[in-house]
Amino acid sequence: MKEILDAILEQDSTAADFAALPLPESYRAVTVHKDEADMFAGLPSRDKDPRTSLHLDDVPLPEIGPGEALVAVMASSVNYNSVWTSIFEPVSTFAFLERYGRLSPLTKRHDLPYHVIGSDLAGVVLRTGPGVNKWQPGDRVVAHCLSVELESADGHNDTMLDPEQRIWGFETNFGGLAEIALVKSNQLMPKPEHLSWEEAAAPGLVNSTAYRQLVSRNGAGMKQGDNVLIWGASGGLGSYATQFALAGGATPICVVSSPEKAEICRKMGAEAIIDRNAEDYRFWKDEHTQDPREWKRFGATIRELTGGEDVDIVFEHPGRETFGASVYVTRKGGTIVTCASTSGYHHEYDNRYLWMSLKRIVGSHFANYREAWEANRLIAKGRIHPTLSRTYTLAETGQAAYDVHRNLHQGKVGVLALSPEEGLGVTNPEMRERHLPAINRFRGA
Ligand SMILES: NC(=O)c1ccc[n+]([C@@H]2O[C@H](COP(=O)([O-])OP(=O)(O)OC[C@H]3O[C@@H](n4cnc5c(N)ncnc54)[C@H](OP(=O)(O)O)[C@@H]3O)[C@@H](O)[C@H]2O)c1
């Protein structure tokens, strides 16, 4: 592994140098173990501790197949799916690996008693499999997390519709929280030159998801002037949704849960901000009954901030706890676009407010290849910036996932894999200098 790292740190290593590097037989990776899938049985979600279920193991290097690439991972990041995997909710991810393993002899490689997790990476291509022409050893890349087979016609207009669509590092093995990752080569995209490895690895999953959910015509198709209500506006998804709204001429109405989170939204340029803790909204009177008066109170606060207007789009992901309120506050003809259900996936809302006001609920999930590419292009152009607040080592990934599970973090939490320190990997320092305050906005928050 040392030779690989030396070649990466050595600025003038060539493609031939990388191709000639011997590959190690094993590598360090963050895993969950199949025989521990029941370890938290009976505990409430909050008490399930990723620090006990995530391990740093030496695992064998997988064989590379056609259309694939092995990538030396310099940095990765923690996503909420790393939290779901680590607490084995809503299901153990080993069920995904078993199902993928039944598809073909090649996918059988993924069905193992351990799961290498992680759906983001920034690093350097080490090897490519047969049929890969666009990428070669030595290329500096980031990877999006869409894994598809594309053997069916269904996925050829929108790759998210492929019947064999999976999220790499969540529904497949050999993810990015490791020293080496196995990806399909069509997951690869150029690493933004002005960013360090850990900054480049941070946006991937959430940035692409927010792009489809909010900007793309497959999602809400946001336009100039729209009012966009963004839940968790300083979190992983929300910190990118807020930037997309601002960059696209819309007005974000940011919901957060502390003055510190409100401050970071202000730093991004948002003006309309609601601190849901300070306002103490109680959308649910008890476990089964919502309180429409609280929806109205929430709507009234939004109108105060917008000069009397309702929201065109609600960027939803908290789910059960907020969905009734989200449907209520959306303007006539508006769109509630949802990609998750962090607080519970059985949503309840008053349908009269939906049909009588001709609102739409749109489901959105990750992003197709094109959308992920567009989202990365905006990062590479310095239009949208990483929201990295803190970086951990691979060995500390359990703590990083714990922080995200407990909502103690801001923006994105990064993980250094092979990179020995933060700040490496920048090849366009002039561009970096121009964007430095924006790149560092979330640092230390
Ligand atoms: N379908 C997809 O492709 C996709 C992609 C990415 C993420 N997701 C899912 O989306 C969810 C959020 O991901 P993320 O990366 O943005 O996580 P995150 O970094 O934890 O941010 C989510 C934010 O939502 C807010 N929030 C959490 N629970 C809430 C509640 N009950 N009511 C109101 N606000 C609440 C919190 O902000 P405040 O405390 O400041 O309000 C939190 O910081 C997760 O469930 C994740 O699995 C889905």
Side-chain angles (χ1 to χ4, degrees), residues 3-24:
E3 275 179 78
I4 291 175
L5 182 58
D6 288 345
I8 295 171
L9 296 177
E10 181 67 48
Q11 293 289 343
D12 44 16
S13 303
T14 63
D17 293 334
F18 278 99
L21 281 173
L23 294 182

Side-chain angles (χ1 to χ4, degrees), residues 99-110 149 151:
R99 197 168 145 233
Y100 193 26
R102 288 195 288 272
L103 189 66
S104 74
L106 207 61
T107 63
K108 182 76 187 144
R109 288 169 305 166
H110 291 256
E149 309 301 321
E151 289 187 286

Side-chain angles (χ1 to χ4, degrees), residues 84 205 236-237 257 261 276 321 339-340 342 365-366 407 409:
W84 294 125
L205 183 149
L237 287 170
S257 62
K261 290 183 172 190
R276 66 184 171 100
E321 224 166 285
C339 78
T342 314
H365 185 39
F366 188 60
N407 198 14
H409 67 301

